[in-house]
Amino acid sequence: MLLNQLVEINEKGSIASSVNFGMLDDLEKNLPLCESFIFNYDSTKPELSTVGILDAVRRSYHSPNQPNIHLMIQQYGKGKSHFAIAVANFFKKPFHSQEVQGILSQVEKATSAKNQAISEGLKLFKQNQRHQHLVICLSGDIGGDIRKQFLQQLVKSLEAAGIQDSLAHHICSEPLRYLETLNPENRAKAEKYLQSNGNPDGDLNSLIRLLRENNSGVISTVKKIAFQITGFTPDFTADINIQAILEDLIKNHCIGENAHFQGILILFDELNQYLKAWAADDIGAGGAALQNITNICENYKGKIALLSFTQIHPAQGVGISANVIPEYQKIATRLAPKDGTTYNPASSLELVIENLLLVKNASTWQTFRSQWHNTLRREAETAFERRIKIYKNKGWSFEEFYTHLSEGCFPLHPLTAYLLCNLDFTQDRTAIQFIKGDVKRFIATQPVENAGKVNYIYPIALVDTFLENFSNYPVYNHYKKAVDLVAGAETDDELVVLKALFLYEASGENLTKPDREEHQDILVSLTGLSKSRLQAGLDKLEKERDLIYHRPEIKLYRFWEGINPKSIQQEIEEKIKLKPTSINEVVAYCGEKNILKKYPYNTTVIATRFVKDNKLVSEDWQFERKIYSIDKFLKALENNRTLNDTKEKGIFAYVIAETQEELQELRNNIANYLSESLINNRIAVAIPTEETGNLSRVILKIKALEETNPTSQKLLGKAYQEQLQRWQEEASTRLTRLLNNCTYYCVGIEKIPPTEQHKTERVISVLLQNLYPFVPPVDEIDKMRSDHQTGKKIVGWTAKQIFIEDNITQQTLQDQSYRTVLDQIFVKLWGLFKKTSDKYIVQEPTHEKIRAAWHKISEITDLEGLPQKIFGLETIWQVLSAPPFGYSEYNFTMLLAGWLAIHRKEVCLRGRVKLTTKKGEFVPSQDKSVQDWGNY
C-alpha cells in the first residue's frame, strides 16, 4: 500500500503573509484566504486554538451571559491577520457562500477525529442564521482618528448590505450646528458663495432644512462654505459619537421582525499599535472611541462582540510613557476585562503541519495504526524523553506530543517534524513549502512499509531541502568537503551518515544526547539506518577516509576541522606503545592540572548544614578535596598523620580506579575500611560511578606530545596544537565527569535521608556534628572567622578591657562593629555579658554549649585541695580547640578572658611583659594579676 492511500496533503492550506482588511474587497484574494487558513484545535484547551476562538465569538451571540469582549494575543507573523479575515467572512457571508464553505472545510480538517461536535456547531450556526452579521473591521496601523476609520468602514458595510442613510442624523448634526451658529457676517459670505455657484441645493436656509431632514448629500457643500469663510475644510466626523451610532444600529437593525443583521462584530487588528498612538495623543487617536465600543458591548451582550488582535497583552504597557500609564491601564482593562476572554492560541508551527497532513481514510488509518502503534509510540517516546527539551518546558504531556508530532505529522518522523518547526531558519511558509513539495512527492511514490519497517521521512531529508539555509553554519564547509570526497562511493550509507553528523551539529541545542549515550543511538534516529550499517559507515569515514574522528570522552563523532593530525597520533602511539601506565599517573595529572579547580565545587567542601544549624562561619568548617588511588587511600586511612597535610577540618577523598571491578570491590569494603580507621570521623569518601579506563594512556600521550622538541612542533604547525588540545580536552572532560558522578560514604551516613546522601555538604555536616556537639555559635558573623583582622582587634581589645575590670563601658567601644559582635554573639548568644543601659558586665555564660566549655576550664584548673597549682594555657587551648568543642583562637580568647575575669581573685598569670626582644636580651617571666596584665 502506498502512503497516498493512507494520508494526504491539505492542498489549499497555507499561512499567508502581509494580510490586511483591505483584501476583503479583493475577490481574487479574499476567497483563497478563506479557503486556505489552517485552523488548529485542542479539545482539552480550546482557548489555545483558532477553532476554539471562532466558536467563543459565535457563543457571544448565543446568550447575554456569554463574554463578548475577546482578545487574541499572538506573535508577529503567525497568522493573526489571516485568521481575522477568516472570522470576518465567517460572520458576514451566508452559509452557502464559497468563503464560508472554505472556512468550514478547514475547520472540519482541524477537528477531524478530535471533536466533530464543535465543527457541527459552527456549521449549524451558519445554516440557521436568518441574517448575517454586520462586521466592522478596524486596523490600528492605519493611524489617525479611529472614529473616522470606524465611520468609513461602517458606511461601506451598510452600503454593501443595501442600507442607506441610517447614519444620516449622526453625520448631519455637526454640519447643521455649524450653519446654525454662523454670525451675520459669515452668513452673508455663505449666501454670496452659494449664489456664485447657482444655488444648486438652494440658499443657506434650504441647506439647514435639508440637514434637519438628515440629507447627508449636502455635507460636501457645507465643507466648501466653511473653506470660503475660514480657509480650511473642517472634519465634521471628529466628534462623532460611536456609542450612540452603535446603539441606534442595534435597536433599529439587529432587533425585531425587520432586523437586517443577526448582530454586530467589531474586529480590531494591530491593537497594540493603536494603543501606543492613543497613549501619545489620545485626542488625535480618537479620544474615548474604545470606551464607547466597550460600553456598548457591556450594555448589549448577545447582540455585539469585539475581537481584538495584538502581539502583547495591553496590560504590559510596553512602549507607554510612565506619565500616562494610569489612564492607559483604564482602557487596557476594558479590552481584557475579567468577564471577557483573553486567548494565547498555540502559534506553534507543529499544529500547522499537523493540519497539513491529513488522514485520507479513517478505516485504512485504523488498520495501519493497530499494526504499527507500538513503533509509532516508541519512536515518539525516545524523541520526547531523550532528544527534545522544549515541549516539557512548555508544559506538554507526552500524549500531546504523540498526538501532534507522531500520529499527527506522519509520515514525518517525530524528530523530522520537530526540527522542521524549530531550526533557526524555518518559518511557517518554508515549512509549508517542504510539506507541499518534498513530502507530497514522498507520499505519492513511497509505500507505507520499507524493509519491514515504517517508512518514515527521517530528519536527514531536511539537509538537502534546506542546504542553502544551512550554508551559514560553521560546520557547513567541513561537511561539504567531506561530501565531495565520498562522491562515487559504492553505497549511499556514507553520505547518509555525513548528513546525520552535519544535521546533529548544526541543530546545536535543539537536539540533546545524554552524556553516557553513544552517538550512534541518535544518529540511527536521524537516518533510519540499522545500527550495523550506521557503524560501518562511521568506521569507513573515520578509519579509511579520515574525514571524521571520535571523541570517546563525550561519546561524539566530529568532522575534522583544519589539518588532520592522524599522522601525529600514529607517531605518538608508536612512541609510547611499550611504556607501562598506572592509575597513579592519573592522580598526579589531576594535581598538575589542578583538576579540582575545574570541578563545580572547587577544592573544598563547606559543611553548609552544620554551619547553618550552629550559626557558624563557613570558611572555618570545610573539608579539603583530594584525589587518591585505592592503594594510596588505604594507606592514608591507616596513617594518623594524614590529617596533618590539610589546614581544613577533614578530607573529602575521591578514590579512582582503572576498572569497574576495582571500584566495586572498594564499594563492598569501604564501610569496613572506615570502621577500622582511627581518623574515620574526619574522612569522607567519594567513589566514582565510572572507571578511568584508558585515561592513563591518554595522559601518557599528552606528556609524550608535550615533550616534542620545538623544531618538530614548528614543522607540525597548527596540527600539533589541535591534537594536544583534543587530548587535553578528552582528559579534562572525562575527569570532570568522573568526579561529578560519585557515591558518597562516611561514618554515620545512615543518619542522612537517602534523597540527600548525594550532597557533599550533607556528608561532611554529619561528620562534623558528631565531632563537635559543643561548637560555639557566632551568629554567622564573618569577623569571627579565623585570621579576620577586624575580629582580631575586637577580641584583643575586649579581652584587655575585662582583664582591667569585669565590665565595659559602652562609650568606650571603638565603632559599630564592636557593638555588633558583642551584642549578637557574646550578649544574646553566649550570655557571657549582661548588657545594661551603659555597660557590658561579664558573667558566667548562659548558653548550654558555652557553659560546657566554661566548666571544662574549671575542671582543668581544679586545685584538687592544693593551695596553689600551675596550669599552662596551651593545655586548655588544646582541649577546647579539639572535639567536642572546636573553639577557634578568637572564641577561645573570649571565653578564657571571661573565665579569668570572673575568677580574677583566684588567679594570677605568669608570662613575659616583653614578647619582642633584642638579640641577646633576656626578659624574665613575671607573675601578675589579671588586672595588671590588662593594663600593659
Side-chain angles (χ1 to χ4, degrees), residues 817-881:
S817 63
Y818 284 66
R819 188 182 306 277
T820 300
V821 170
L822 283 172
D823 285 351
Q824 292 187 215
I825 301 175
F826 302 119
V827 175
K828 293 180 181 177
L829 268 180
W830 288 23
L832 184 61
F833 290 97
K834 178 182 178 182
K835 186 178 181 181
T836 66
S837 59
D838 62 340
K839 290 184 178 182
Y840 293 93
I841 302 170
V842 180
Q843 63 180 13
E844 187 170 329
T846 57
H847 193 286
E848 181 183 0
K849 291 182 179 181
I850 311 303
R851 287 176 63 83
W854 181 279
H855 292 319
K856 177 57 70 174
I857 297 174
S858 298
E859 180 184 316
I860 294 171
T861 58
D862 185 16
L863 294 176
E864 297 177 337
L866 298 174
Q868 180 179 313
K869 198 171 184 180
I870 299 173
F871 302 95
L873 295 182
E874 178 68 22
T875 303
I876 302 174
W877 160 248
Q878 287 177 355
V879 171
L880 292 191
S881 62

Side-chain angles (χ1 to χ4, degrees), residues 189-204 206-207 221 224-225:
K189 289 180 181 180
E191 293 286 14
K192 184 177 180 181
Y193 170 75
L194 291 172
Q195 288 173 8
S196 69
N197 282 281
N199 288 329
D201 297 312
D203 61 9
L204 195 61
S206 298
L207 288 178
T221 303
K224 292 173 183 177
I225 291 172

Side-chain angles (χ1 to χ4, degrees), residues 564-748:
N564 182 341
K566 190 161 188 178
S567 60
I568 300 175
Q569 295 180 27
Q570 293 171 343
E571 182 181 339
I572 295 297
E573 291 283 2
E574 182 65 26
K575 188 175 178 179
I576 67 167
K577 69 179 181 181
L578 298 178
K579 291 186 176 182
T581 60
S582 164
I583 188 64
N584 292 322
E585 290 172 351
V586 180
V587 175
Y589 184 81
C590 291
E592 291 167 14
K593 299 300 180 182
N594 208 354
I595 201 72
L596 286 170
K597 283 281 187 183
K598 301 175 184 178
Y599 188 63
Y601 307 107
N602 212 329
T603 56
T604 57
V605 189
I606 296 172
T608 307
R609 174 64 68 86
F610 178 71
V611 167
K612 291 288 183 186
D613 288 350
N614 293 283
K615 300 181 181 298
L616 305 173
V617 179
S618 58
E619 286 84 346
D620 286 343
W621 301 96
Q622 302 181 127
F623 272 36
E624 182 180 359
R625 298 178 193 269
K626 289 191 174 187
I627 299 174
Y628 296 87
S629 65
I630 293 177
D631 289 343
K632 294 286 178 67
F633 172 68
L634 295 179
K635 289 178 182 177
L637 276 182
E638 296 169 357
N639 190 343
N640 293 343
R641 296 181 182 177
T642 296
L643 295 173
N644 295 338
D645 295 333
T646 181
K647 295 186 296 182
E648 308 301 341
K649 294 297 183 184
I651 293 173
F652 210 108
Y654 288 78
V655 188
I656 60 176
E658 287 187 325
T659 68
Q660 275 295 333
E661 289 76 15
E662 292 173 292
L663 289 175
Q664 189 57 49
E665 184 180 357
L666 179 61
R667 293 186 194 105
N668 293 339
N669 294 291
I670 188 63
N672 292 332
Y673 294 147
L674 287 173
S675 66
E676 295 170 2
S677 173
L678 295 177
I679 58 172
N680 60 13
N681 52 7
R682 292 178 63 188
I683 295 284
V685 184
I687 302 178
T689 304
E690 295 182 34
E691 71 281 7
T692 60
N694 70 341
L695 195 52
S696 58
R697 185 151 293 275
V698 174
I699 291 168
L700 198 58
K701 288 191 285 188
I702 292 170
K703 291 183 176 179
L705 188 55
E706 288 175 332
E707 292 168 359
T708 304
N709 65 66
T711 304
S712 297
Q713 289 182 23
K714 191 171 182 180
L715 287 173
L716 292 170
K718 189 178 179 182
Y720 169 83
Q721 290 298 333
E722 285 186 354
Q723 184 57 64
L724 180 61
Q725 184 179 351
R726 286 193 183 100
W727 279 338
Q728 288 174 336
E729 285 180 358
E730 178 181 350
S732 177
T733 302
R734 288 175 63 180
L735 283 168
T736 302
R737 187 177 66 223
L738 180 143
L739 297 174
N740 203 24
N741 292 279
C742 298
T743 305
Y744 303 132
Y745 302 86
C746 74
V747 174

